[in-house]
Amino acid sequence: MFNISDIVMAKRKARPQTKSFTADSVLAELKRLSTKATKDGMTRFGIPSDNALGVTVGDIRDLGKKIGKQHELALELWKTGVYEARMLCAFIEDPTAITSVQMDEWCRDFDSWAICDTLCFHLYDKTPHAWKMIRTWAKRKPEFEKRSSFALLASVALHDKQADDELFAESLELIANASDDERNFVKKGVSWALRVIGGRNVSLHGAAMALAESLSNSESPSARWIGKDALRDLKRPLVKKKVAKR
């Protein structure tokens, strides 16, 4: 006859054991997943490969699912400076644990559009600090810090269905102010944000269209490019059909 303690112990033994991950074990796994072909292909997409191993984003995401949310591990992995380890942080860092200070410190380390966009799209937009950092980074000079503002703005516009329209309407001023920045990754980030905001609903579509029209007639080559790029997207029948339903 089993007593209560025997049953409890049996249940504990039956539970699947959670694998313990360390920064060293994660790096070892990333190295195992790496390929020369993947690393060589990074250059074609403008991603520095000096500190990279050559692991696909799909494999990084799958590894992140196995690890789960681990704040302390994310901190250790970021310090390694390894590209894939930092990409992994987007999937294992806890958005409720990360601070605005930490977000800013990591942002200052961004050295490519890929690490910038991945952190903004999969982590930063889920934190309570997103709008604060959008406004902060919009004033920055370094290319990828400034891009972070608009990559994050685009990510929030895509993912936060409950955000007030007024927040996005006000952010159009940030877009207008940054529209004369000629740097490739900044202007593409600005256009991305404008296009996504315009796709939220009819009201914001109209506001985004008005700004895009204005920019398309600007004396600034960058502003004209952003305006025309946004207009091409916002005028698409599919976009108009989607916003009409929202």
Side-chain angles (χ1 to χ4, degrees):
M1 182 176 179
F2 290 106
N3 57 36
I4 296 296
S5 61
D6 291 331
I7 294 173
V8 171
M9 289 301 295
K11 286 184 177 180
R12 286 179 178 174
K13 290 179 180 179
R15 291 174 185 167
Q17 295 297 307
T18 302
K19 183 177 179 180
S20 177
F21 291 92
T22 65
D24 287 341
S25 68
V26 170
L27 286 175
E29 180 64 10
L30 288 171
K31 289 176 182 177
R32 186 186 71 79
L33 294 168
S34 66
T35 67
K36 184 177 184 300
T38 300
K39 184 174 181 179
D40 290 344
M42 294 173 67
T43 304
R44 294 197 302 272
F45 295 99
I47 303 172
S49 60
D50 292 347
N51 293 319
L53 301 171
V55 184
T56 66
V57 176
D59 283 340
I60 294 172
R61 291 189 68 165
D62 288 344
L63 180 56
K65 290 177 182 177
K66 294 177 183 178
I67 296 173
K69 301 301 182 187
Q70 294 199 36
H71 174 64
E72 294 300 328
L73 179 58
L75 292 175
E76 292 181 36
L77 288 173
W78 192 267
K79 291 178 182 177
T80 67
V82 175
Y83 170 78
E84 288 84 357
R86 288 185 166 180
M87 288 283 278
L88 183 61
C89 291
F91 306 107
I92 70 168
E93 175 59 290
D94 184 347
T96 66
I98 192 171
T99 65
S100 60
V101 172
Q102 181 186 331
M103 288 170 67
D104 195 40
E105 288 176 349
W106 285 10
C107 178
R108 293 173 188 273
D109 288 335
F110 290 170
D111 60 356
S112 73
W113 64 268
I115 196 74
C116 166
D117 293 4
T118 302
L119 268 289
C120 289
F121 196 83
H122 293 286
L123 173 63
Y124 284 178
D125 67 326
K126 299 177 180 64
T127 73
H129 317 296
W131 283 104
K132 172 185 175 182
M133 304 320 296
I134 287 169
R135 299 183 186 101
T136 298
W137 294 332
K139 301 174 185 176
R140 293 288 172 78
K141 296 298 183 183
E143 185 171 13
F144 293 111
E145 289 181 45
K146 194 166 184 178
R147 179 185 173 90
S148 295
S149 171
F150 300 99
L152 182 52
L153 178 55
S155 299
V156 172
L158 279 168
H159 298 150
D160 190 349
K161 306 304 181 183
Q162 305 304 316
D164 194 291
D165 281 1
E166 189 62 29
L167 290 169
F168 295 106
E170 292 174 354
S171 70
L172 293 177
E173 183 177 356
L174 299 178
I175 289 173
N177 291 340
S179 65
D180 62 351
D181 194 315
E182 297 288 343
R183 292 174 295 179
N184 184 51
F185 292 112
V186 174
K187 71 178 184 181
K188 286 186 175 180
V190 172
S191 174
W192 180 22
L194 180 56
R195 287 182 281 114
V196 176
I197 289 173
R200 279 183 68 88
N201 55 48
V202 172
S203 176
L204 288 171
H205 183 268
M209 281 284 291
L211 177 55
E213 289 279 7
S214 175
L215 294 178
S216 69
N217 294 309
S218 172
E219 294 182 359
S220 163
S222 176
R224 286 199 304 274
W225 182 90
I226 291 168
K228 291 176 181 179
D229 188 53
L231 284 174
R232 277 193 298 271
D233 185 67
L234 295 172
K235 287 181 176 180
R236 289 190 299 124
L238 180 61
V239 172
K240 291 181 177 181
K241 184 177 180 180
K242 285 183 177 180
V243 298
K245 295 178 179 180
R246 294 174 179 173

